[in-house]
């Protein structure tokens, strides 16, 4: 670690202090009409300005170099291009093409920022409007609506699924660093609020080349809100109400920016009572609630851009009790939000610092941070019994340098240190230390209409457990408990990975991608050394210290067609996984609970997605969308894998009128999501029947003199269907998913 920091400091000593600027104007490409108040953004520098009434813009105090510029305007195709910033006179003409369809955002992968067409990776995004417009109880649930995505749920607890992979096979990025929320357990959700989130980007498929361990299934990158417009102070308030859970959510933000610095603050809270299923039955103790606070401060110098971030979160999640063992004396009022009954609490603090240093056309990016995650469980009685503190330190160092003609190469390393400490009376995993480090090299090379991207990476990971309570000592209560072979150990894992792909743009409308990539993850602490009852799952789980690391090889082909009024996307993949780890029941019980062992076999997941979006140019008020996704998962000997999502079809119709100065963008949307029956279930797994859900939403915006008001009404499961999804863990208890829910969203910007 000291050597890495010393090398970074040496690279920074000689950086230039020259000041540069970027001036330009934004016009309609057909008639050269100036576009006033177009959004002009340099995402890498955390800079956002609007063009003036004549379409002109000016950004001062910039470092020299090449940067991704994004210019957007309602009703026009967003322009995403790399611009060169220097001290020379710099006037940039921006010509935007009118278009009916919304266009994609700048995408972020590793610490790169680029147009999605210029990478062979499969990257999709979910905007802030999409998140709020879906009316979901959690950020994870909103993500699950995208093709190829899903969610594993335990009542109000949700964790994302990418193409059948979940948990430690998916890496989450928050505030520019890797986020670990103890995702190893089925009932441990993502636990992130959507307050202050600008968008979420998802990489589908292995991304270990840039992200390292746990990115073998993909990456979820949670991107915070844009800074305020340069020279402005902005505030907003957002309110939500939920009919099914009698719930509410509220957050408020303040931000200010100048040419040299920016500040952001946000506070939020939410609370939900137990949900009601489609039969009108209350699913007891599915309540959730908590608080979140965020702060960010950044500054910009000619040679250095820094963004410092902090997040605090405190949430409670109820434990659903087995209906067969339910004690009716615990039943409280319908709208109760009390957590005096079994529940778990997740408290985390995150600090991160994102830094970019400039020397000519080279960039050195240094991101580091610290994350503490305290998970506490009250499983009965009047005290916390399970109490684990996971402390994480992250460091990412990357050097980007352009090639002589076009493209760039990147040399990088990232390291992570973790410590898990048990503070409670009940222990299910031991105290442990973790350390991992990786070094990688990538190249992005445009050749005419083709972009080639390739690279290689080497990783080292160490896990050491320590003697911890009755996991490793004979206790009179657990003297005959299974798993007595769980003793302290030290394990190291070394692995090499690589990726190679092409993105071909034969025309403006067509994009073809072929990508072959490998990824890996080491077994997590629960898989290696778990021994005991997991209250949220009603299982007695036994780890296996001899498990090998998982490694996969994924081949994917993607076709994208994007005309003025039609967008089509089709993707197919085959994902071969060596040493796939999963839980398997033994058929035996201990103190009334099923005993599960962690086992591993080679496995293959295959499938694909198709999406279509039609916005006829001669019927501007109409927008039609449809999607289909499919995943198959089997072991090498033909057994079906557990928790593989069902095939899904979705379709929607949206009616939206043209914008108006005061009353704008009124819309109505309705659609159906159909999930096929899942009969290809694993041994001991419950098969699930098909179901369909009807949803609808409507809304509009009001533009006042000093504020903007957005109102939306969203209805989910409008027919109040009684169903359980195949990825719901409640299916084993015979409990249905939530019934009808009417959500009201109100957002006010000042």
């Amino acid at each position: 670690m000291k050597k890495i920091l010393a090398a970074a400091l040496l690279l920074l000593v000689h950086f230039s202090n020259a000041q540069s600027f970027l001036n330009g104007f934004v016009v309609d490409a057909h008639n050269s009409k100036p576009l006033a108040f177009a959004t002009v953004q340099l995402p890498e520098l955390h800079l956002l300005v609007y063009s003036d009434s004549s379409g002109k813009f000016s950004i001062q105090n910039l470092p020299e170099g090449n940067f991704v510029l994004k210019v957007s305007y309602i009703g026009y195709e967003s322009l995403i291009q790399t611009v060169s910033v220097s001290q020379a006179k710099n006037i940039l003409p921006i010509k935007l093409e009118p278009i009916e369809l919304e266009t994609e955002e700048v995408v972020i992968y590793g610490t790169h920022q680029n147009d999605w067409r210029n990478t062979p990776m499969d990257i999709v995004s979910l905007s802030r409007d999409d998140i709020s417009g879906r009316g979901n109880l959690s950020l994870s649930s909103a993500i699950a609506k995208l093709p190829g995505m899903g969610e594993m749920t335990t009542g109000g607890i949700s964790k994302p699924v990418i193409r059948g992979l979940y948990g430690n096979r998916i890496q989450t990025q928050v505030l520019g660093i890797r986020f670990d929320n103890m995702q190893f357990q089925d009932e441990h959700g993502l636990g992130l609020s959507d307050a202050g989130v600008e968008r979420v980007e998802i990489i589908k498929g292995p991304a270990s080349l840039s992200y390292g361990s746990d990115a073998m299934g993909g990456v979820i990158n949670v991107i915070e809100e844009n800074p305020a417009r340069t020279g402005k102070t902005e505030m907003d308030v957002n309110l939500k109400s939920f009919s099914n859970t009698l719930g509410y959510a509220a957050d408020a933000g303040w931000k200010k920016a100048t040419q040299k610095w920016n500040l952001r603050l946000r506070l939020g809270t939410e609370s939900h009572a137990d949900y009601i299923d489609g039969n009108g039955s209350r699913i007891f103790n599915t309540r959730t609630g908590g608080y979140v606070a965020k702060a960010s401060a950044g500054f910009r110098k000619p040679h250095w851009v820094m963004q410092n971030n902090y997040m605090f979160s405190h949430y409670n999640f109820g434990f659903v009790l087995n209906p067969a063992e339910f004690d009716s004396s615990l039943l409280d009022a319908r709208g109760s939000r009390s957590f005096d009954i079994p529940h778990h609490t997740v408290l985390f603090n995150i600090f991160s610092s994102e830094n970019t240093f400039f020397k000519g056309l080279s960039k050195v990016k240094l991101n580091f941070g610290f994350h503490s995650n305290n998970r506490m469980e009250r499983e009965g009685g009047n005290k916390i019994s399970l109490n684990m503190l996971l402390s994480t330190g992250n460091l990412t160092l990357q050097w980007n340098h352009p090639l002589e003609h076009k493209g760039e190469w990147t040399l990088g390393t990232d390291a992570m240190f973790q410590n898990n400490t048990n503070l409670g009376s009940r222990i299910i995993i031991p105290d442990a230390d973790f350390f991992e480090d990786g070094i990688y090299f990538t190249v992005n090379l445009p050749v005419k209409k083709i972009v080639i991207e390739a690279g290689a990476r080497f990783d080292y990971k160490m896990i050491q457990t320590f003697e911890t309570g009755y996991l490793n000592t004979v206790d009179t209560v657990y003297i005959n408990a299974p798993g007595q072979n769980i003793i302290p150990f030290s394990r190291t894992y070394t692995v090499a990975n690589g990726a190679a792909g092409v993105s071909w743009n034969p025309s403006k409308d067509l994009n073809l991608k072929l990508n072959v990539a490998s990824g890996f993850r080491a077994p997590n602490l629960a898989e290696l050394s778990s021994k005991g009852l997991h209250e949220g799952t009603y299982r007695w789980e036994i780890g296996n210290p001899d498990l090998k690391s998982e490694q996969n090889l994924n081949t994917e082909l993607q076709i994208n067609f994007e005309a003025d009024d039609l967008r089509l996307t089709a993707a197919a993949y085959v994902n071969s996984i060596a040493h796939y780890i999963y839980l398997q029941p033994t058929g035996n019980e201990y103190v009334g609970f099923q005993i599960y062992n962690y086992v591993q076999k080679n496995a293959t997941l295959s499938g694909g997605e198709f999406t279509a979006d039609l916005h006829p140019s001669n019927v501007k008020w109409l927008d039609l969308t449809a999607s289909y996704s499919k995943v198959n998962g089997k072991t090498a000997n033909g057994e079906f894998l557990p928790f593989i999502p069902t095939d899904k079809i979705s379709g929607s119709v949206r009616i939206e009128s043209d914008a108006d100065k005061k009353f704008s963008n009124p819309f109505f949307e309705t659609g159906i999501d159909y999930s096929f029956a899942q009969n290809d279930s694993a041994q001991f797994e419950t098969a699930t029947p098909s179901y369909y859900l009807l949803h609808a939403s409507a809304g509009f915006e009001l533009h006042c003199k000093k504020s903007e008001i957005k109102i939306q009404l969203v209805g989910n499961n409008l027919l109040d269907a009684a169903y359980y999804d195949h990825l719901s863990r409640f299916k084993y208890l015979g409990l249905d998913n939530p019934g009808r829910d009417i959500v009201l969203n109100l957002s006010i910007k000042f």
Side-chain angles (χ1 to χ4, degrees), residues 215-233:
M216 61 179 295
V219 174
I220 294 175
N221 192 358
V222 181
I223 300 169
E224 290 299 302
E225 61 189 302
N226 290 323
R229 292 168 290 172
T230 299
K232 301 293 183 180
T233 299

Side-chain angles (χ1 to χ4, degrees), residues 314-333:
H314 181 277
Y315 270 75
N316 292 304
F317 303 88
F319 277 143
V320 174
L321 306 177
N322 191 330
E325 303 172 359
F326 179 65
D327 182 356
S328 59
S329 66
L330 296 175
L331 194 64
D332 50 14

Side-chain angles (χ1 to χ4, degrees), residues 60-80:
Q60 306 296 322
N61 194 45
L62 295 176
E64 291 190 356
N66 296 329
F67 303 98
V68 173
L69 173 75
K70 179 190 175 188
V71 183
S72 57
Y73 193 82
I74 295 176
Y76 288 79
E77 181 178 8
S78 294
L79 181 142
I80 302 172

Side-chain angles (χ1 to χ4, degrees), residues 161 199 214 235 298 322 365 377 417 419 459 468 512-513 536 562 572 581 614 686 698 706 709:
V161 178
R199 71 184 190 276
D214 294 1
M235 295 179 287
N322 191 330
K365 300 188 178 185
E377 295 184 3
F417 174 79
N419 170 264
D459 281 273
T468 311
L512 303 173
K513 297 184 179 187
E562 188 172 298
I581 302 170
L614 175 63
T686 302
K706 293 185 178 181
I709 302 173

Side-chain angles (χ1 to χ4, degrees), residues 79 106 138 275 310 414 468 523 530 549 559 621 626 628 657 688 724:
L79 181 142
V106 174
S138 69
Y275 76 72
Y310 173 72
D414 49 49
T468 311
S530 179
S549 61
I559 303 173
W621 48 266
Y628 171 71
S657 74
T688 52
Y724 49 82

Side-chain angles (χ1 to χ4, degrees), residues 345-592:
T345 300
V346 179
L347 170 66
F348 65 76
N349 292 271
I350 304 176
F351 166 77
S352 72
S353 182
E354 304 172 75
N355 301 267
T356 305
F357 303 91
F358 306 92
K359 173 61 176 177
L361 297 179
S362 287
K363 305 172 192 176
V364 174
K365 300 188 178 185
L366 176 65
N367 293 358
F368 59 91
F370 175 78
H371 171 207
S372 69
N373 185 314
N374 190 196
R375 180 176 296 274
M376 297 165 280
E377 295 184 3
R378 177 175 170 178
E379 300 155 351
N382 296 315
K383 66 176 183 178
I384 296 294
S385 54
L386 185 69
N387 189 346
M388 298 182 293
L389 177 63
L390 181 66
S391 301
T392 304
N394 300 91
L395 172 68
T396 298
L397 178 63
Q398 186 184 86
W399 179 15
N400 303 104
H401 188 77
L403 298 170
E404 289 186 5
H405 40 295
K406 287 185 178 180
E408 67 175 8
W409 56 259
T410 300
L411 178 64
T413 182
D414 49 49
M416 183 177 75
F417 174 79
Q418 290 184 304
N419 170 264
N420 182 69
T421 301
N422 286 276
L423 305 173
S425 58
R426 198 171 77 83
I427 300 168
I428 55 175
I429 58 175
D431 296 347
D433 283 341
F434 313 79
F435 174 76
E436 62 181 84
D437 194 9
I439 184 169
Y440 58 94
F441 178 83
T442 66
V443 61
N444 182 285
L445 179 63
V447 181
K448 294 183 179 180
K449 296 182 178 182
I450 294 177
V451 179
I452 301 171
E453 200 165 85
R457 180 183 179 111
F458 178 80
D459 281 273
Y460 167 86
K461 183 165 185 174
M462 181 275 294
I463 301 175
Q464 181 174 356
T465 68
F466 305 103
E467 186 170 301
T468 311
Y470 54 73
L471 277 180
N472 309 126
T473 58
V474 177
D475 187 286
T476 55
V477 177
Y478 297 97
I479 192 168
N480 295 315
Q484 293 300 327
N485 62 326
I486 303 298
I487 58 176
F489 62 83
S490 178
R491 295 285 186 273
T492 59
Y493 302 89
T494 57
V495 64
N497 283 282
V502 296
S503 181
W504 180 32
N505 299 287
S507 67
K508 178 184 176 182
D509 299 335
L510 185 62
N511 168 259
L512 303 173
K513 297 184 179 187
L514 175 64
N515 196 39
V516 180
S518 65
F520 86 103
R521 76 171 184 101
N524 62 49
L525 199 54
E527 294 165 340
L528 291 168
S529 55
S530 179
K531 188 186 81 171
L533 172 64
H534 289 248
E535 292 284 349
T537 61
Y538 299 103
R539 298 190 299 234
W540 191 280
E541 298 181 7
I542 307 299
N544 181 354
D546 297 321
L547 291 174
K548 301 177 181 179
S549 61
E550 292 184 350
Q551 190 161 16
N552 66 330
L553 180 65
N554 183 78
T555 302
E556 178 175 355
L557 176 65
Q558 186 180 98
I559 303 173
N560 301 287
F561 175 80
E562 188 172 298
D564 289 343
D565 53 6
L566 176 65
R567 179 186 297 132
L568 301 174
T569 298
Y573 61 90
V574 177
N575 192 1
S576 300
I577 306 176
H579 313 304
Y580 183 88
I581 302 170
Y582 61 100
L583 269 173
Q584 182 169 281
T586 64
N588 300 320
E589 292 187 357
Y590 178 71
V591 294

